[in-house]
Amino acid sequence: MDAHCGPAVCLVVLVQMWALVSGQVRYSVPEEAKVGTVVGRLPQELGLEAGDAEARRLRVVWQGRRASVEVSGASGALVVSSRLDREELCGKSAPCLLRLEVLLERPLRVFPVELEVTDINDNAPLFPVARKNISIAESSLPGSRFPLEGASDADIGANAQLSYTLSPSEHFKIEEENSDSRSKSLFLALTKPLDRETVPVHRLVLTASDEGRPSLTGTTELVISVLDANDNAPQFNQSVYKVHLPEDALDGRLVVGVNATDPDFGSNREVVYEIDNFVPASGSDLFNIDGKSGEIRLRGGLDFETVSFYELQIKAKDKGTPPLSGHCKVLVEVLDVNDNAPEVGVTSLSVPVPEDASVGTVVALLSVSDRDSGANGRVRCWVWPSSPFGLESRFAGSYSLVLREALDRERVSAYEVEVRAEDGGQPSLRGSRGVRVPVSDVNDNAPSFSQAVYTVLARENNAAGAELARLLARDPDEAENGRVSYSVWEGGAGATSSGGGWRPASSYVSVDAESGLLWAVQPLDYEELQVLQFEVRAVDAGEPPLIGNATVQLFVVDENDNAPMLLPPPGGGPGLVPFAGGISVEAVAGSESETLWAWAAWGSPAGQVVAKIRAVDADSGYNAWLRYEVLEPRGKGPFRVGLYSGEPKHPNPDWRYSASLRAGMQSAVHVEEAGVLRGGPGGPEQQWPTVSSATTEPEAGEVSPPVGAGVNSNSWTFKFGPSSSKQGGPGELPDKFIIPGSPAIISIRQEPPNSQIDKSDFITFGKKEETKKKKKKKKGNKTQEKKEKGNSTTENSDQ
């Protein structure tokens, strides 16, 4: 067959060749040939001449099939009358032969004809579905294969021979495998491990290509879903969470919310939170976490001073099988709040402090601390209240309490010192510590008497051991330094007795060493000792001992312990006193009185001096003031005597005490008669008493001693009433008796101070008419006055 012949020529040749071979007319036509395409020229095959085909009504008869070819009427050629589709006519059968009969009438003849419809590549490969969903576990190992359903091609032969290609993928490839079956096995092979969390779905295009000319292709989409495997642990969005919390944060406060995600799916991604570890372990009581939300909250009180930093290990665990976990850290820094007051402690205390301690002496060592930090922990200190102590900083947090002023235990025996501390927080807090600093005694004070000079009045004749006074010396020191002992200093103090001998003070008085009681060693005798001046010393028991002293002026107060004594007359023998008229009087000495015997002539005139006596009293002052009176018969005898002068005449107005009386009056006053005695630089001052009498008798009056001890006797005077004249004093003793002619007993007595003198104290010896005229008192008084004037004249003439 000529390679260059046209389609009709070739077909004819083919038909002819078939006819020759088999004796049967066979035509071949490609599918999808155009309508009108000549399949074969039947008249020629049948040996008909031109025109016979139409005349003899040459036609094609199909056997049960729709005619796709027909005989052209004029030419009698067999042409394509409708679309020929091999796949429709024959499917996958090969070859595709259509059997038909050619009918020729006049005469009727039937010729069998075979029409082969040849395949052309008019069908692309076709997959069963346009999209194929495939699920593959991400845990599948490389090399795993997953079967695929291949494409089909309606064509046959080479047009149906398919090959497959896959869109580029690093995880998958297409593998084909020949088997005993007519078709190849197609597989999707895994070349690299899958990661659902990286690519959860792979979308690939599978292409099937036939071997036709030109090649046709068909495609399908492979949607590969990677099934999750719990191959991912939960991951926190931060590996470290840093949180700052003030230490006064309230219970329940949110600390931080942690978050972990798991790229897995389903239960593999469900996360549960927990705190895996606490540093320090005490944090377990302060923090908890919500297992679902990851919120960490405070459930206790923070204390910066106890723990200032917490580290929490947080774990997020999924619910896969087996479960996987992720971890992170939460760092909690506690911020200081000024919630701690400064603390002051005493590390060393050296007390008591001697009062002679030098300035700068360290009394105590103190520690000052504040558990807060920064400004909250910076502390300043001072001593309150103001005291002799101050603070010196040794180094940070350590101070010395030192002495800054001299101490005086007698002024302040102990100090209550408060060391105060204040921090620099806002607001600031304070702390304090009290320190008691006792001051120990040093013997720096001598005993001191309450007065430099003590004036002591002591009655004479007191018993030995009688208490005279109590002396008190105070020593403000304490213990042995303030324990005082008393003694009478023998350094020259004493007195000269009336006998002329010198005796030390200790022979008269002594002082109790502990109590300061001054007592008499022996009875005192005013007539021997009137004034004793000595020194009493008070010595403490310190080392060395200190001494204080005081002067004691002891005045012996006269007691009426001596009776008046008659003196012998000048130039006469004992007991005999000459008197006027030549009459002699015998005086008999006694302890209390003297008895005088006198003879007087009967008829002696009234007022005549019968006798004159002299008497003395060893006592002093009032105790030596003598009074004369007639004892028997009391005012009824013929004798009378002047009460003080021994004369019913008056003394001269300018009378003064005699020197002997003045000497006796010094220091001779009863204690109960004493006024105010007070010590002074020159000795005690004494307010002496005043002796008064309210009597209306002519000899009544006042005795006014001067003020002050060591009295100048010249200043003593007797003051009488308006009508009184001067009276003889005790020193100038009465020495005359008036004896009118009858015997009488004359008593010489001491005149007590402040005594009242009434009319009974005067013994009047007058005329007999005086006793008979008692009712005429006024007249008798006037007569008496005249009588006394006469007696005064008589006595003056006698003297």
Side-chain angles (χ1 to χ4, degrees):
M1 183 172 65
D2 189 358
H4 300 285
C5 64
V9 177
C10 292
L11 177 62
V12 172
V13 173
L14 179 62
V15 171
Q16 290 176 347
M17 288 180 64
W18 281 0
L20 291 176
V21 173
S22 60
Q24 184 180 8
V25 178
R26 178 180 293 185
Y27 295 102
S28 176
V29 61
E31 65 174 333
E32 302 296 337
K34 292 182 180 179
V35 175
T37 301
V38 177
V39 176
R41 295 187 181 275
L42 284 179
Q44 296 177 1
E45 296 296 334
L46 294 176
L48 297 178
E49 294 184 0
D52 289 345
E54 183 178 4
R56 294 185 69 175
R57 298 186 63 186
L58 182 66
R59 63 179 186 274
V60 177
V61 180
W62 289 88
Q63 298 178 358
R65 290 180 181 269
R66 181 179 62 85
S68 297
V69 294
E70 62 184 15
V71 176
S72 172
S75 64
L78 186 65
V79 298
V80 177
S81 61
S82 63
R83 177 178 177 266
L84 288 175
D85 185 1
R86 193 202 68 78
E87 289 76 27
E88 182 180 354
L89 294 174
C90 298
K92 292 294 291 183
S93 299
C96 179
L97 298 176
L98 298 179
R99 288 178 168 65
L100 54 88
E101 292 178 348
V102 174
L103 182 63
L104 181 67
E105 294 180 356
R106 299 172 186 174
L108 180 64
R109 291 181 65 183
V110 177
F111 298 95
V113 177
E114 288 184 354
L115 178 63
E116 179 182 6
V117 181
T118 61
D119 184 52
I120 65 171
N121 195 22
D122 61 346
N123 289 282
L126 179 65
F127 285 97
V129 291
R131 176 180 296 164
K132 175 67 174 179
N133 292 322
I134 303 174
S135 296
I136 300 176
E138 67 173 324
S139 59
S140 299
L141 300 176
S144 299
R145 298 194 303 175
F146 306 94
L148 294 177
E149 187 178 357
S152 62
D153 195 321
D155 296 326
I156 58 174
N159 293 333
Q161 294 297 317
L162 303 179
S163 62
Y164 296 91
T165 59
L166 190 65
S167 59
S169 172
E170 61 178 345
H171 292 91
F172 297 97
K173 70 178 181 178
I174 291 295
E175 291 182 354
E176 297 180 70
E177 185 179 83
N178 292 324
S179 63
D180 294 338
S181 62
R182 295 179 180 179
S183 61
K184 294 180 179 179
S185 295
L186 186 65
F187 296 94
L188 180 66
L190 182 65
T191 60
K192 184 179 180 180
L194 297 175
D195 185 1
R196 191 200 70 80
E197 292 72 36
T198 303
V199 182
V201 177
H202 295 263
R203 296 184 181 272
L204 304 176
V205 176
L206 178 62
T207 301
S209 300
D210 60 24
E211 295 182 3
R213 296 284 187 242
S215 177
L216 298 180
T217 61
T219 61
T220 185
E221 182 182 17
L222 299 179
V223 180
I224 303 172
S225 297
V226 182
L227 299 179
D228 184 53
N230 193 26
D231 59 346
N232 290 280
Q235 297 293 321
F236 287 94
N237 56 0
Q238 294 178 227
S239 61
V240 178
Y241 295 81
K242 294 183 178 180
V243 182
H244 296 86
L245 278 181
E247 64 175 322
D248 60 352
L250 299 179
D251 189 9
R253 175 170 175 168
L254 176 65
V255 177
V256 69
V258 298
N259 182 47
T261 57
D262 192 322
D264 293 328
F265 184 76
S267 61
N268 292 335
R269 69 179 300 167
E270 293 182 18
V271 176
V272 177
Y273 299 94
E274 61 184 44
I275 302 178
D276 201 33
N277 189 32
F278 296 89
V279 179
S282 60
S284 61
D285 298 327
L286 297 176
F287 303 96
N288 64 1
I289 190 170
D290 189 298
K292 291 183 178 180
S293 66
E295 290 184 346
I296 300 176
R297 292 187 179 273
L298 192 65
R299 67 174 183 179
L302 298 173
D303 186 4
F304 171 85
E305 291 69 37
T306 302
V307 180
S308 62
F309 186 82
Y310 293 91
E311 179 179 315
L312 310 180
Q313 296 283 352
I314 311 299
K315 178 171 70 175
K317 181 173 64 175
D318 62 27
K319 295 184 178 180
T321 303
L324 299 179
S325 301
H327 298 83
C328 74
K329 291 181 180 180
V330 175
L331 305 179
V332 181
E333 183 178 355
V334 182
L335 301 179
D336 183 47
V337 174
N338 193 25
D339 60 345
N340 290 279
E343 297 180 354
V344 181
V346 179
T347 58
S348 178
L349 182 62
S350 179
V351 292
V353 179
E355 62 177 323
D356 62 349
S358 60
V359 173
T361 299
V362 177
V363 177
L365 298 180
L366 306 170
S367 63
V368 180
S369 62
D370 193 313
R371 299 178 63 197
D372 296 321
S373 62
N376 296 333
R378 286 195 292 268
V379 179
R380 67 182 187 93
C381 303
W382 70 95
V383 175
W384 187 93
S386 178
S387 67
F389 303 96
L391 289 179
E392 290 183 358
S393 178
R394 300 168 60 232
F395 49 85
S398 181
Y399 294 85
S400 297
L401 183 67
V402 299
L403 184 64
R404 290 184 173 173
E405 299 176 11
L407 299 176
D408 183 1
R409 190 204 65 83
E410 289 69 42
R411 184 173 62 88
V412 180
S413 61
Y415 291 88
E416 297 295 337
V417 177
E418 184 176 310
V419 178
R420 291 184 173 182
E422 181 181 66
D423 62 28
Q426 294 296 331
S428 61
L429 299 178
R430 286 186 177 183
S432 63
R433 178 65 180 266
V435 179
R436 187 175 189 275
V437 183
V439 181
S440 61
D441 185 53
V442 173
N443 193 25
D444 57 348
N445 290 278
S448 176
F449 287 93
S450 57
Q451 54 191 81
V453 178
Y454 288 86
T455 299
V456 179
L457 301 180
R459 292 180 182 274
E460 67 170 330
N461 300 322
N462 55 352
E467 179 179 346
L468 302 178
R470 284 185 181 269
L471 307 182
L472 178 62
R474 297 186 181 276
D475 192 322
D477 296 326
E478 66 177 355
E480 295 299 308
N481 294 333
R483 186 165 60 85
V484 177
S485 60
Y486 303 88
S487 64
V488 175
W489 185 51
E490 298 293 346
T496 302
S497 65
S498 59
W502 183 91
R503 297 177 64 182
S506 58
S507 63
Y508 296 102
V509 295
S510 181
V511 64
D512 185 79
E514 293 185 1
S515 66
L517 174 66
L518 183 66
W519 50 279
V521 175
Q522 63 179 4
L524 300 177
D525 186 359
Y526 172 81
E527 287 71 35
E528 177 185 351
L529 176 68
Q530 287 80 42
V531 180
L532 177 64
Q533 180 169 309
F534 57 92
E535 185 177 287
V536 174
R537 282 191 170 182
V539 182
D540 61 28
E543 288 293 338
L546 300 179
I547 301 173
N549 53 58
T551 299
V552 178
Q553 292 180 340
L554 178 64
F555 291 89
V556 181
V557 179
D558 182 48
E559 289 287 331
N560 192 19
D561 59 346
N562 289 281
M565 299 294 293
L566 289 176
L567 294 178
L576 296 178
V577 181
F579 61 93
I583 302 176
S584 61
V585 178
E586 181 181 358
V588 181
S591 60
E592 295 182 358
S593 63
E594 300 293 340
T595 302
L596 300 179
W597 295 93
W599 290 262
W602 289 103
S604 297
Q608 181 178 351
V609 176
V610 177
K612 183 177 182 179
I613 28 182
R614 292 181 179 274
V616 295
D617 195 313
D619 294 322
S620 177
Y622 296 116
N623 295 329
W625 190 355
L626 303 181
R627 185 178 67 176
Y628 304 88
E629 62 182 45
V630 177
L631 294 181
E632 294 179 359
R634 180 85 172 168
K636 296 181 179 180
F639 302 100
R640 64 179 182 178
V641 65
L643 188 60
Y644 295 105
S645 65
E647 302 175 2
K649 64 182 178 180
H650 296 294
N652 293 327
D654 56 352
W655 174 87
R656 294 289 187 269
Y657 278 125
S658 66
S660 61
L661 175 59
R662 289 199 301 270
M665 288 294 289
Q666 296 178 9
S667 307
V669 179
H670 293 280
V671 175
E672 63 267 26
E673 295 168 349
V676 180
L677 290 178
R678 58 182 181 272
E685 296 180 1
Q686 180 171 3
Q687 180 63 52
W688 293 87
T690 299
V691 180
S692 301
S693 176
T695 181
T696 59
E697 290 297 322
E699 293 182 346
E702 296 181 352
V703 179
S704 299
V707 177
V711 179
N712 183 354
S713 302
N714 292 327
S715 63
W716 284 73
T717 60
F718 281 89
K719 295 181 181 179
F720 292 89
S723 60
S724 300
S725 59
K726 200 164 61 172
Q727 178 183 1
E732 195 172 85
L733 298 177
D735 55 358
K736 295 180 181 178
F737 285 94
I738 301 175
I739 303 176
S742 60
I745 298 176
I746 307 301
S747 175
I748 304 174
R749 293 186 177 181
Q750 295 170 339
E751 176 65 16
N754 295 327
S755 62
Q756 294 292 329
I757 303 175
D758 55 20
K759 295 178 66 175
S760 62
D761 293 329
F762 294 89
I763 302 175
T764 303
F765 300 92
K767 300 179 179 178
K768 295 180 180 179
E769 294 83 23
E770 294 284 331
T771 59
K772 295 180 180 179
K773 298 178 180 179
K774 291 181 180 180
K775 294 182 180 181
K776 298 180 180 180
K777 183 176 181 180
K778 186 176 181 180
K779 184 177 181 180
N781 288 340
K782 292 181 179 180
T783 305
Q784 180 65 24
E785 291 177 359
K786 294 179 179 179
K787 191 70 172 182
E788 289 178 352
K789 289 181 180 180
N791 292 339
S792 176
T793 303
T794 305
E795 182 174 352
N796 288 335
S797 63
D798 293 338
Q799 292 178 351

